[in-house]
């Protein structure tokens, strides 16, 4: 029933569009990173601390016309709470922050290989811009979202949503890899079953051992971001460890970055002094040994404790 409703909303949204290539009224801010790198914490930190609009679970539920959902529900106008709870990136309640993935799959193929500029549907990109413009108008101010697959869509996003600013967050590679494997086991029931973002070389990665898969998943995502951000000043790079250790310093860096691009954001509550880093989840000991060995064998890993 919800799918049928969204199909109708999508048609109504396109009928109501008032010019897809007009300028966006406000600047979108998109959070990028590999799985389990701190993207959700950064998202929640910005929403709790600043008067920013944001993509929420209600917008995700009504992805066929999220601007209508915002105008009816005024989700981003309700009083904010400093809620930092999440489960593998998912949050609860209509106002919980959302990666908004169903909306983006309206315009982009699920396959990362199909998202290059020479293969993308240009008409759908124009429709996307019109839709996003309507959403920004409904928000009435700059908005923040996160979308991990956007790492493999940067060429199209930079062409059709060139106003966008990007916050890129990374994490200790071993901690990220262990966390992805733990999520696979908990959510999929098997370390060998794929979970989260799918890089362009997925079919090749499927033939590797799980510990090798997650390392390449992280590195393919980060490499795509590096390649997409070359010769651009619209990307700010942060780390999960820095965010946990010193949120006010990270906030200052973000404010300076946004101010450089003419975006002013207002703090709505005092910033937390720090965040407690989540303990690294437990995985099968033999798997962790193989993971550490794989990290050593492939460039040693970024920030990996060799012990």
């Amino acid at each position: 029933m919800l799918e049928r409703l969204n199909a109708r909303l999508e048609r109504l949204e396109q009928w109501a569009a008032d010019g897809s290539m007009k300028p966006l009224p406000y600047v979108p801010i998109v959070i990028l990173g590999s799985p389990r790198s701190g993207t959700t914490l950064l998202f929640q930190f910005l929403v709790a601390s600043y008067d920013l609009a944001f993509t929420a679970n209600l917008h995700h539920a009504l992805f066929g016309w999220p601007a209508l959902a915002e105008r009816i529900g005024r989700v981003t106008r309700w009083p904010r709470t400093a809620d930092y709870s999440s489960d593998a990136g998912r949050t609860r309640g209509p106002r919980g922050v959302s990666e908004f993935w169903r909306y983006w799959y309206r315009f982009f193929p699920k396959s990362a290989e199909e998202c290059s500029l020479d293969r993308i549907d240009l008409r759908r990109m124009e429709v996307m811009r019109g839709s996003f413009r309507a959403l920004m108008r409904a928000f009435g101010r700059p908005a923040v979202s996160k979308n991990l697959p956007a790492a493999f869509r940067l060429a199209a996003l930079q062409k059709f949503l060139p106003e966008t600013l990007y916050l890129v967050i990374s994490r200790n590679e071993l901690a990220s890899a262990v966390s992805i494997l733990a999520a696979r086991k908990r959510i999929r029931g098997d370390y060998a079953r794929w979970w989260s973002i799918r890089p362009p070389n997925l079919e090749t990665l499927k033939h590797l051992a799980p510990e090798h898969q997650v390392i390449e998943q992280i590195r393919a995502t980060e490499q795509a971001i590096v390649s997409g951000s070359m010769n651009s000043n619209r990307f700010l790079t942060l780390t999960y460890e820095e965010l946990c250790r010193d949120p006010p310093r990270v906030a200052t860096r973000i404010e300076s970055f946004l101010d450089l691009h003419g975006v002013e954001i207002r703090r709505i509550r005092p910033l937390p002094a720090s965040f407690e880093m989540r303990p690294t989840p437990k995985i099968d000991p033999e798997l962790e040994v193989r993971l550490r060995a794989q990290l050593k064998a492939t460039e040693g890993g970024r920030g990996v404790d060799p012990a």
Side-chain angles (χ1 to χ4, degrees), residues 22 70 89 92 132 230 277 291:
K22 292 181 180 178
E70 174 62 22
R92 295 187 177 186
F132 210 79
M230 284 184 178
M277 287 191 193
L291 174 64

Side-chain angles (χ1 to χ4, degrees), residues 131-153:
S131 172
F132 210 79
R133 181 175 180 275
L135 180 58
M136 296 302 295
R137 287 182 63 190
F139 281 148
R141 60 204 191 282
V144 61
S145 184
K146 82 159 192 173
N147 189 254
L148 304 192
F152 303 111
R153 305 166 180 164

Side-chain angles (χ1 to χ4, degrees), residues 8-75:
R8 293 183 179 181
L9 288 174
E10 185 175 347
R11 290 194 294 270
L12 288 170
E13 182 196 58
Q14 292 183 39
W15 173 79
D18 62 349
S20 60
M21 299 314 292
K22 292 181 180 178
L24 297 184
Y26 301 96
V27 172
I29 303 162
V30 174
I31 297 169
L32 302 175
S34 61
R36 314 304 294 151
S37 63
T39 54
T40 301
L41 178 62
L42 178 58
F43 195 180
Q44 293 172 318
F45 170 63
L46 291 172
V47 168
S49 303
Y50 294 95
D51 182 27
L52 283 165
F54 59 96
T55 54
N57 289 326
L58 180 61
H59 305 120
H60 183 62
L62 300 177
F63 62 90
W65 196 353
L68 180 65
E70 174 62 22
R71 291 192 182 279
I72 293 173
R74 290 296 181 188
V75 180

Side-chain angles (χ1 to χ4, degrees), residues 228-240:
S229 62
M230 284 184 178
N231 304 315
S232 173
N233 67 347
R234 304 188 75 82
F235 292 75
L236 175 66
T237 300
L238 308 164
T239 70
Y240 170 75

Side-chain angles (χ1 to χ4, degrees), residues 280-295:
T280 304
K282 299 295 184 182
I283 61 173
D284 181 82
E286 292 185 6
L287 177 60
E288 183 171 347
V289 169
R290 296 199 303 271
L291 174 64
R292 288 177 176 272
Q294 185 65 41
L295 286 167

Side-chain angles (χ1 to χ4, degrees), residues 32-34 148 150-155 158 166-170 217-238 299 302:
L32 302 175
S34 61
L148 304 192
F152 303 111
R153 305 166 180 164
L154 283 173
Q158 288 171 310
Y166 299 92
L167 303 178
V168 182
I169 188 164
S170 62
Q217 182 183 25
I218 293 167
R219 292 178 180 174
T221 305
E222 294 186 343
Q223 183 54 51
I225 295 170
V226 169
S227 298
S229 62
M230 284 184 178
N231 304 315
S232 173
N233 67 347
R234 304 188 75 82
F235 292 75
L236 175 66
T237 300
L238 308 164
E299 303 174 5
R302 173 174 37 77

